[in-house]
Amino acid sequence: MARVKICGIGTYEDAMVAIESGAHAIAFNFVRASKRYINPEKARDIILQLPPFVSIVGVFADEPRYSVEEIASLCRLQVLQFHGQESPEYCRRWSYHTIKAFRLADAKNDIAKQEQSNALFSSWTALLEESQQYDVDAFLVDAYSPGALGGTGKAFDWSKIDGPLSKPFVLAGGLNPDNVAEAVRIVKPYGVDVASGVEVGGRKDPAKAKAFINAVHKGISLYGVSI
Ligand SMILES: O=C(O)c1ccccc1N[C@@H]1O[C@H](COP(=O)(O)O)[C@@H](O)[C@H]1O
């Protein structure tokens, strides 16, 4: 089945909801502008109480390299997700697994002029071309939502995905228990990532998280192969 990452862990309870539901990875958000931002010390306190065999991911956006290094070491992160305008050079030579996130808008006109960025595209071809510059371990594609870097619960038009990326592909943006089985069937991603879709009142919800992972099981697919 597709790997599942639950993003935006804010409490120990959130983490255990994700883990007990069967998530393969959980993510802590260190993007200061995010409503899911967590202070690194608080994240560390949670992480040190967690059981093994779960990948711990840190989400960053245009954070200076030294600061990412500090947080990754403090929190014993295993994976870094770069969700801003990080360059190919910035994304190289980390001693952690790395994921570069791009955002895909449904149409060119949707993109506000002041938001043009090297991580924001309206065509799969352009995204694919840019991705070739990056030496990372996986790519994540999220929806474009004006004024936000991610975590908005908005999906993009999956039919725009046209051809494989060179590294494992994580689908994100507006996934929830009702649409993720179809998303997995259509897109056949390596993994799926969810924040809003498993929350109630800003906290991870056990029923939604379990329903999400059950639905991923129904969609199946890992690397495009049904297993
Ligand atoms: O979750 C956030 O608040 C966030 C903020 C800034 C960058 C990334 C963020 N989260 C990522 O957004 C996507 C999709 O979230 P959603 O399921 O649509 O709510 C996911 O990749 C998160 O890692």
Side-chain angles (χ1 to χ4, degrees):
M1 76 178 257
R3 316 294 292 171
V4 178
K5 167 175 165 263
I6 295 189
C7 193
I9 300 299
T11 61
Y12 172 74
E13 288 72 25
D14 277 356
M16 292 313 293
V17 163
I19 292 169
E20 285 170 1
S21 302
H24 303 94
I26 59 171
F28 293 82
N29 198 316
F30 300 109
V31 179
R32 287 163 222 270
S34 167
K35 64 180 177 190
R36 300 186 179 87
Y37 171 78
I38 185 165
N39 167 300
E41 278 77 26
K42 184 172 176 198
R44 176 187 162 85
D45 283 349
I46 298 170
I47 291 162
L48 291 184
Q49 299 176 62
L50 299 180
F53 307 140
V54 183
S55 287
I56 310 292
V57 184
V59 179
F60 299 90
D62 304 312
E63 187 75 15
R65 199 174 168 112
Y66 74 88
S67 168
V68 176
E69 290 282 12
E70 262 177 35
I71 295 171
S73 159
L74 178 76
C75 296
R76 300 193 189 165
L77 301 180
Q78 290 147 341
V79 186
L80 309 176
Q81 175 177 324
F82 299 125
H83 222 98
Q85 300 200 48
E86 297 84 2
S87 66
E89 179 54 33
Y90 176 100
C91 292
R92 266 184 221 123
R93 291 185 289 276
W94 291 90
S95 47
Y96 302 92
H97 278 124
T98 51
I99 302 174
K100 179 69 186 99
F102 296 119
R103 289 175 296 149
L104 193 61
D106 288 343
K108 201 170 183 178
N109 289 343
D110 290 350
I111 303 176
K113 223 179 191 141
Q114 67 277 14
E115 288 198 69
Q116 308 283 350
S117 116
N118 66 349
L120 177 52
F121 303 92
S122 60
S123 93
W124 187 257
T125 313
L127 186 155
L128 196 64
E129 201 179 304
E130 179 68 13
S131 73
Q132 283 158 6
Q133 314 289 320
Y134 285 82
D135 181 14
V136 289
D137 299 299
F139 292 108
L140 181 150
V141 182
D142 191 1
Y144 166 68
S145 191
L149 277 177
T152 61
K154 182 179 186 286
F156 65 91
D157 177 0
W158 307 320
S159 70
K160 291 187 77 130
I161 299 171
D162 183 18
L165 295 164
S166 60
K167 291 287 163 73
F169 166 47
V170 181
L171 178 67
L175 297 175
N176 60 52
D178 297 328
N179 67 7
V180 72
E182 192 193 359
V184 169
R185 247 179 250 122
I186 294 173
V187 177
K188 298 182 175 61
Y190 170 76
V192 290
D193 188 11
V194 60
S196 322
V198 294
E199 286 174 351
V200 171
R203 293 275 61 87
K204 303 306 179 205
D205 178 67
K208 282 196 164 190
K210 281 192 191 99
F212 186 88
I213 291 176
N214 285 342
V216 175
H217 276 277
K218 289 192 184 121
I220 322 175
S221 275
L222 176 67
Y223 276 130
V225 181
S226 287
I227 50 175

